Amino acid sequence: EEGGGLRLCSHALCGRPETRRHEFRRCSVCGVVNYCSRACQALHWKMAHKAECTPMDRWLDGANANPNPNAVAGVGDAAVAAPAL
């Protein structure tokens, strides 16, 4: 994030900054990366993010001593397409 709370597009070849807060969409699976467009999201998914994207449920459950018994195992394991924004 930049000083004013504005984010940069996570696609390395783009890096476009937001012009207003919450302009970019976050990855719907992990919430870690931000994209200015569907094109940047799809390209970054193929290039890098697919290998590093971890569903929020997993890392939240890992930090929690009493994991959610209703969590679905393997969510996102077999993802072939990029997650929706």
Side-chain angles (χ1 to χ4, degrees):
E1 293 190 12
E2 292 180 350
L6 299 178
R7 302 171 293 188
L8 299 175
C9 179
S10 295
H11 185 280
L13 299 176
C14 177
R16 180 180 152 228
E18 287 181 316
T19 57
R20 61 185 184 282
R21 288 178 53 98
H22 307 295
E23 176 183 6
F24 293 171
R25 305 273 313 263
R26 287 190 178 183
C27 175
S28 63
V29 176
C30 68
V32 174
V33 294
N34 307 288
Y35 298 108
C36 66
S37 68
R38 177 82 172 130
C40 280
Q41 186 262 340
L43 287 169
H44 190 240
W45 176 258
K46 289 179 187 177
M47 292 173 54
H49 192 59
K50 183 176 182 177
E52 59 196 26
C53 185
T54 303
M56 283 192 284
D57 292 356
R58 284 198 188 152
W59 55 264
L60 288 174
D61 286 347
N64 187 356
N66 188 9
N68 179 0
N70 298 324
V72 178
V75 171
D77 283 347
V80 176
L85 289 177

